[in-house]
């Protein structure tokens, strides 16, 4: 799998990690919240994807931990690598083009799209 | 289940987590090691998110998500591992390098594993098809097995749905496991409530509750509403905002504030036609010293914070320094635990607080037992009492299912023997043993699932019947329903039963099959030793299991019979009763109220057909007991003589006569015992014999310990069962109502002539005095006596039904095993008959071989019954759990049933025609 071909789950995970490092549960919550519950990541898909993305060098386990008061040492935090950001940007711009086309063809309500 | 808080881990979640833990083994080991813990955490999180809704849809969605996730990610991870190891092998072993362009590697969807999975799937489908064909060809076997299993699984599903709804399911409040009842071991005064609040830090909100009653007056109509006074934190404890308006604020509890109330959704729809403008309206709502209140809020629909219906909530108004604040012990305490505090911590803190408060002005009483000074979850305090009984009933239906499984196992065995040749041939032409065992197990599991489906339908149909059988005092029966978790339970039970009864015949396949091929025809020889032992064991098991259930039912029946013979202490026949709650507004003064009661009694006495009438503050067989402590002859009764609770009755002259309670000494109360006369009272014989065992009680002086005036005992009357028939009579004091200040509620007790028309004429008589006075709980006393027996009757009925079911299934099973044994021995019997044995001899031998396991089963069952019937002792009254007469009767009944079940096949076997038998037809 090359870096510029992301599965839907990987795309969502990268999006979730784009603004801050998160652990598995955090990713699940962020994705669910951002998609209004449309996308529910199951544990197998989530960790399967994370494992592959670590292997591909798209994300890495974060070395910095959050403030210890809120931290649980069992948790693993994930951080997007430069390569991951690049892949995310590529994928997002691909979707942006798709959205543009949809807007041009009046398929989408403009407010809904923005 | 490490800490007490996880006790309330919902059953469905528990199951989902366990099942998921198992399913994780489908992933490659390396992946599992790295991520299993994280994945389990996600599952728990997911469940917590969806489960508060608790419903079928929510839990189904979680299950569905997990299944989909497993279905997609397991193959992907396994493929990844294979790809990796193949890659590694290619790199290290040049022989394996057969070029880079093998199809299966380029396209993972046609991988070899994939096709083996498909093979496996299709072989399962083949197994199922084969099993179905087998069922079609043996419709009798199939029908009996399915029906037997449906009975067993259906009964279990129905009972489990009750246990689940009542005991397991969390209460329907947000974060309900944090809601606790703070139980210091006694009722609290407002001052003590404040004291506990200051001394504790475990709670994010607390609410004192004082049970109360209000009268809602609208025009001519008046309705008595149950309700409570609560402290301002009430709604925060339950986390449910009001549907309209607001909750109580601190200001509402101030003594000179405007009186306010919240009403339930039910009362809002019923009495106010769901008026959306209700908030801010002032209504006549009498009670707690007020006559009008402004409604500030309407509670959400389905908001049921207490076990009683609370239609009206009012704020507690208790000014520091008043009697109401210091001496009115009427409150109990609810609270919401802070999320980081455990129950154990809260308990420890409460004990310290009580010790501190015992020495302060709060005068907290230290309870004798630590169990009473504790903090329990609201869920526990609601269902703790019935939990044991519920599990017991579930265990009892579990026994039924066991018997059903034994029956079906026997049928399967019989079928397996008949098919021994088929299996032998299949083995001979190359079928693996594993394959054949799997085939047998698929059959039995399929049978279990079909039986479970039919049982589920039966449970669905029978559920309302079951709920109507259940005792009325079981809480939360509205929460009972067939939801996702019950469905999962049924499915698991079906598959497990299938495994249980399928295992025996399947394991039989692992013994050598060759002899079956060598025999000329299957089933003509004598039975194999193993088979014989199995049959023996099955009969023993069925009889033993039935003995346990029938013994439990027998004990309950006897207990009910004993209870029926308990004399309530008064004559129940032709006795009628109703409750009056005159409004404070129309009778504000004490003297006024007395006059009103006098008028009512006179009017009712004049009703044609009424022979006697009296009134009391608390009606026997239904009303709780108001306990007081007493002093006698000038000094408080010493603690070791002080009865734990002396019940306080306020009665009118004529009450004793109307109830026909026997007068044992002295006189009853009369019209001359007025407020201005000498203070008098009566005691029941329980109290008299307690305080003055060898002397006369007449002329003795008694007083309440709180310093009220002394009164003279003028009469001793018989004991009355005040609460229930099964509870022993308590010590009682009866004082005349004219000499008592507080009687806002009165129960009329009316003795009538035979063939009396009923209470309608009495209502008219009361209406002629006051058109608006609320009249409630009108009924014949015989009905109340009947309903006081309802709970024991319900348990007896339930256990008797289960015992009958066990007995029926057991009899069918034993008969089936013996018939089969006899048919297998037809050849042998034929030989005996040919050699000159009489038919009597044959029946005799058959009976002997049939009754031996029955006898062993009876003995084992008796031992098991002796060990287990004490579990029902909590439901028994006047019978010990090892009542010899009952146990002997059970042995006799089951011995008889066993003998009868054996006799039929024995008789039939004696009718064998020896000639035909020997010819081998």
């Amino acid at each position: 799998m090359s870096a510029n071909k992301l599965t839907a789950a990987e795309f969502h995970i990268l999006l979730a990690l784009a603004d801050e490092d998160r652990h598995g549960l955090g990713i699940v919550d962020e994705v669910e919240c951002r998609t209004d519950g449309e996308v529910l990541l199951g544990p197998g898909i989530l960790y399967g994807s994370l494992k592959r993305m670590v292997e591909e060098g798209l994300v890495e386990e974060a070395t910095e931990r959050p403030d210890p008061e809120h931290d649980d040492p069992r948790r693993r935090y994930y951080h997007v690598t430069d390569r991951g950001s690049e892949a995310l940007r590529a994928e997002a711009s691909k979707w942006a083009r798709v959205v543009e086309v949809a807007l041009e063809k009046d398929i989408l309500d403009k407010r809904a799209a923005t | 289940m490490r800490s007490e808080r996880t006790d309330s881990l919902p059953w469905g979640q528990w199951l989902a987590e366990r099942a998921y833990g198992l399913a994780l083994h489908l992933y490659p080991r390396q992946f599992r090691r790295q991520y299993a813990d994280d994945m389990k955490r996600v599952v728990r999180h997911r469940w917590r998110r969806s489960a508060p809704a608790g419903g079928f849809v929510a839990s189904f969605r979680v299950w569905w998500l997990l299944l989909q996730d497993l279905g997609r990610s397991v193959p992907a991870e396994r493929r990844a591992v294979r790809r990796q190891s193949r890659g590694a092998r290619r790199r290290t072993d040049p022989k394996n390098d057969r070029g880079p362009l093998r199809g299966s590697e380029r396209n993972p969807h046609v991988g070899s594993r994939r096709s083996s999975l498909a093979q496996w799937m299709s072989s399962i489908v083949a197994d199922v098809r084969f099993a179905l064909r087998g069922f079609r060809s043996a419709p009798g076997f199939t029908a009996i097995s399915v029906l037997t299993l449906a009975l067993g699984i259906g009964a279990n599903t129905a009972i489990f749905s009750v246990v689940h709804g009542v005991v397991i399911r969390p209460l329907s409040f947000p974060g309900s496991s944090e809601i606790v009842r703070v139980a210091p071991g006694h009722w609290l005064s407002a001052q003590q409530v404040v004291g506990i609040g200051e001394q504790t830090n475990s709670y994010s909100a607390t609410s004192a509750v004082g049970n109360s009653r209000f009268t809602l007056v609208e025009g001519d109509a008046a309705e008595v509403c149950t309700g409570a006074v609560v402290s301002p934190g009430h709604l925060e404890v339950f986390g449910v905002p009001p549907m309209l308006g607001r909750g109580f604020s601190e200001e509402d509890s101030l003594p000179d504030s405007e009186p306010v109330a919240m009403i339930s959704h039910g009362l809002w729809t019923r009495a106010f036609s769901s008026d959306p403008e209700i908030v801010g309206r002032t209504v006549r709502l009498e009670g707690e010293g007020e006559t009008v209140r402004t409604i500030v809020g309407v509670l959400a629909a389905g908001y049921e914070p207490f076990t009683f219906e609370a239609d009206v909530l009012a704020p507690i108004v208790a000014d520091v320094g008043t009697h109401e604040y210091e001496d009115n012990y009427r409150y109990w305490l609810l609270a919401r635990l802070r999320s980081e505090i455990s129950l154990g911590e809260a308990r420890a803190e409460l004990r310290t607080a009580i010790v501190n408060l015992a020495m302060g002005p709060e005068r907290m009483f230290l309870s004798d037992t630590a169990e009473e000074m504790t903090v329990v979850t609201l869920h526990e305090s609601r269902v703790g009492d019935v939990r044991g009984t519920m599990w017991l009933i579930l265990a009892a239906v579990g026994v039924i299912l066991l018997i059903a499984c034994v029956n079906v196992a026997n049928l399967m065995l019989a079928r397996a023997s008949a098919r021994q040749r088929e299996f032998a041939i299949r083995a001979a032409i190359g079928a693996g043993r594993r394959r054949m065992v799997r085939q047998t197990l698929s059959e039995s599991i399929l049978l279990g699932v079909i039986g479970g489906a039919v049982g589920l339908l039966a449970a669905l149909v029978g559920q309302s019947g079951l709920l109507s059988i259940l005792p009325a005092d079981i809480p939360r029966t509205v929460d009972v329903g067939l939801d996702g978790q019950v469905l999962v339970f049924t499915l698991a039970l079906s598959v497990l039963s299938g495994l249980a009864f399928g295992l025996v015949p399947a394991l039989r396949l692992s013994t050598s099959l060759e002899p079956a091929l060598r025999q000329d025809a299957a089933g003509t020889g004598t039975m194999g030793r193993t088979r014989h032992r199995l049959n023996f064991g099955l009969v023993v098991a069925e009889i033993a299991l039935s003995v346990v259930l029938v013994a439990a039912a027998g004990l309950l029946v006897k207990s009910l019979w004993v209870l029926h013979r308990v004399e309530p202490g008064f004559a129940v026949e032709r006795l009628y009763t109703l409750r009056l709650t005159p409004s404070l507004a129309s009778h504000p003064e004490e003297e006024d109220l007395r006059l009103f009661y006098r008028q009512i009694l006179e009017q009712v006495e004049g009703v044609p057909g009424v022979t006697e009438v009296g009134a009391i503050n608390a009606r026997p067989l239904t009303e709780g007991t108001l306990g007081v402590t007493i002093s006698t002859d000038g000094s408080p009764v010493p603690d070791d003589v002080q009865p734990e609770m002396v019940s306080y009755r306020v009665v009118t002259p004529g009450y004793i006569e109307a109830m026909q309670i026997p007068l044992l000494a002295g006189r009853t109360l009369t019209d001359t015992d007025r407020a201005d006369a000498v203070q008098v009272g009566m005691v029941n014989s329980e109290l008299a014999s307690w305080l003055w065992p060898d002397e006369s009680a007449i002329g003795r002086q008694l007083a309440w310990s709180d310093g009220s005036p002394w009164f003279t005992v003028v009469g001793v009357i018989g004991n009355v069962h005040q609460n229930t028939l099964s509870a022993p009579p308590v010590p009682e004091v009866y004082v005349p109502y004219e000499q008592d200040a507080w009687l806002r509620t009165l129960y009329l007790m009316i003795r009538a002539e035979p063939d009396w028309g009923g209470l309608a004429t009495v209502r008219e008589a009361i209406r002629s005095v006051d058109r608006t006075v609320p009249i409630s709980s009108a009924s014949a006393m015989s009905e109340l006596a009947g309903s006081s027996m309802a709970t024991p009757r319900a348990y007896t009925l339930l256990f008797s039904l289960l015992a009958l079911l066990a007995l029926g299934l057991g009899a069918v099973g034993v008969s089936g095993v013996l018939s089969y044994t006899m048919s297998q021995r037809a050849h042998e019997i034929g030989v005996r008959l040919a050699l000159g044995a009489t038919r009597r001899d044959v029946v005799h031998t058959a009976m002997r071989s049939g009754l031996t396991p029955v006898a062993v089963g009876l003995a084992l069952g008796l031992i098991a019954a002796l060990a287990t019937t004490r579990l029902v002792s909590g439901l028994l009254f006047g019978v010990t759990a090892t009542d010899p007469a009952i146990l002997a009767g059970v042995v006799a009944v089951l011995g008889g049933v066993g003998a009868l079940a054996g006799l039929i096949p024995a008789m039939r076997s004696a009718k064998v025609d020896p000639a035909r038998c020997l010819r081998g037809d």
Side-chain angles (χ1 to χ4, degrees), chain B residues 323-341:
Chain B
H323 163 87
E324 177 70 22
Y325 182 73
E326 286 171 6
D327 296 319
N328 197 354
Y329 299 98
R330 61 174 293 199
Y331 302 108
W332 47 290
L333 195 56
L334 289 168
R336 182 175 280 271
L337 272 187
R338 290 186 196 283
S339 54
E340 71 276 12
I341 304 284

Side-chain angles (χ1 to χ4, degrees), chain A residues 29 32 43-45 47-48 76, chain B residues 20 34 38 45-46 69 77:
Chain A
D29 279 348
E32 184 174 349
I45 295 286
Y47 286 102
R76 256 185 288 235
Chain B
Y20 190 73
Q34 201 174 352
D38 289 333
H45 180 72
R46 175 63 64 209
D69 183 61
E77 293 312 319

Side-chain angles (χ1 to χ4, degrees), chain B residues 529-611:
Chain B
R529 189 173 287 251
T530 334
R531 179 63 230 260
H532 184 73
R533 248 187 270 139
L534 268 174
N535 275 344
F536 194 91
L538 291 180
V539 174
V540 169
E542 294 205 301
I543 294 286
L545 289 172
S546 306
V547 167
V548 175
L549 270 192
V550 176
L555 289 170
L556 283 166
V557 169
K558 181 163 179 195
S559 149
L560 189 65
W561 181 73
V562 174
L563 202 55
H564 257 295
R565 297 165 57 94
V566 171
E567 294 289 339
F570 56 91
V572 173
E573 301 73 35
R574 295 181 286 111
L575 187 61
Y576 298 84
T577 165
L578 55 80
R579 183 172 68 197
L580 291 178
T581 317
S583 84
L584 198 65
S586 40
H587 312 281
E589 298 299 324
E590 219 175 275
E591 192 42 48
D592 191 35
L593 190 65
R594 283 197 190 129
L595 182 70
F596 172 70
Y597 284 146
R598 231 174 282 152
Q599 283 173 335
I600 296 254
L601 286 170
E602 274 165 23
Q603 280 296 325
V604 173
E605 223 163 356
V607 170
V610 171
T611 55

Side-chain angles (χ1 to χ4, degrees), chain B residues 705-730:
Chain B
S705 300
D706 64 1
S708 58
W710 293 90
F711 62 87
T712 312
V713 176
V714 295
V716 180
I717 56 169
N719 294 330
V720 171
H721 284 269
Q722 195 66 33
N723 295 326
T724 62
L725 284 173
S726 53
V730 292

Side-chain angles (χ1 to χ4, degrees), chain B residues 631-636 701-703 710:
Chain B
S631 306
T632 169
D633 296 343
S635 61
Q701 297 284 309
L702 273 183
W710 293 90

Side-chain angles (χ1 to χ4, degrees), chain B residues 507-805:
Chain B
L507 289 179
R508 285 266 293 152
L509 286 174
S510 55
T511 58
S512 172
L513 287 164
E514 281 149 38
L517 275 182
R518 268 193 248 114
Q519 269 168 15
D520 296 328
T524 50
T526 49
M527 278 201 311
R529 189 173 287 251
T530 334
R531 179 63 230 260
H532 184 73
R533 248 187 270 139
L534 268 174
N535 275 344
F536 194 91
L538 291 180
V539 174
V540 169
E542 294 205 301
I543 294 286
L545 289 172
S546 306
V547 167
V548 175
L549 270 192
V550 176
L555 289 170
L556 283 166
V557 169
K558 181 163 179 195
S559 149
L560 189 65
W561 181 73
V562 174
L563 202 55
H564 257 295
R565 297 165 57 94
V566 171
E567 294 289 339
F570 56 91
V572 173
E573 301 73 35
R574 295 181 286 111
L575 187 61
Y576 298 84
T577 165
L578 55 80
R579 183 172 68 197
L580 291 178
T581 317
S583 84
L584 198 65
S586 40
H587 312 281
E589 298 299 324
E590 219 175 275
E591 192 42 48
D592 191 35
L593 190 65
R594 283 197 190 129
L595 182 70
F596 172 70
Y597 284 146
R598 231 174 282 152
Q599 283 173 335
I600 296 254
L601 286 170
E602 274 165 23
Q603 280 296 325
V604 173
E605 223 163 356
V607 170
V610 171
T611 55
E612 260 131 349
V613 62
I616 187 169
N617 62 338
R619 181 167 56 185
L621 291 183
T622 41
E623 277 292 307
T625 323
L626 185 65
V628 290
T629 51
I630 51 167
S631 306
T632 169
D633 296 343
S635 61
V637 175
D639 278 353
D640 51 335
V641 189
Q642 176 80 255
E644 200 168 303
M645 183 169 278
V646 174
S647 286
Y648 169 62
R649 313 272 166 238
V650 184
V651 297
T652 64
Y655 173 78
I656 307 296
E657 288 79 5
M659 296 291 284
Q660 296 179 3
I661 300 170
L663 177 69
L664 304 178
R667 66 169 177 92
T668 56
L669 303 175
T670 64
D671 283 334
T672 54
D673 299 320
R674 296 255 165 121
D676 47 2
V678 182
Q679 302 268 308
V680 295
M682 290 184 296
V683 295
N684 69 351
S685 70
E686 179 77 19
L687 183 61
S689 61
W690 192 300
L691 292 178
W692 308 287
D694 304 313
E695 299 154 68
S696 167
I698 308 297
R700 296 293 192 141
Q701 297 284 309
L702 273 183
W704 316 129
S705 300
D706 64 1
S708 58
W710 293 90
F711 62 87
T712 312
V713 176
V714 295
V716 180
I717 56 169
N719 294 330
V720 171
H721 284 269
Q722 195 66 33
N723 295 326
T724 62
L725 284 173
S726 53
V730 292
E732 285 178 314
V733 168
Y734 291 77
V735 297
Y737 89 113
E738 298 261 353
Q739 296 180 352
D740 183 86
W742 296 103
L743 213 49
R744 284 278 155 208
T745 286
L746 202 64
Y747 289 92
L748 290 194
M749 310 299 293
I750 301 149
R751 176 77 57 188
E753 288 169 354
D755 306 321
W756 187 53
L759 285 166
T761 45
V762 171
R763 281 176 191 270
E764 271 171 39
I766 296 170
R767 295 269 179 254
S768 72
V769 180
D770 181 345
R771 269 187 316 125
T772 62
V773 60
I775 299 174
S776 50
S777 30
S779 79
M781 205 60 200
S782 55
E783 281 170 33
L784 290 181
S787 61
S788 133
M789 305 268 294
T791 300
R793 193 182 295 129
Y795 284 123
T796 309
L797 181 61
L798 196 61
F799 271 88
S800 302
L801 283 176
L802 294 181
L804 272 182
L805 206 58

Side-chain angles (χ1 to χ4, degrees), chain B residues 106-129:
Chain B
R106 266 189 324 200
N107 183 350
H109 292 288
V110 292
S112 60
R113 266 301 176 114
R114 177 94 187 171
S115 66
S116 87
L117 182 80
Q119 234 168 35
W120 186 71
M121 284 297 290
S122 74
S123 81
I124 291 258
V125 171
D127 275 353
V128 169
R129 263 206 203 125

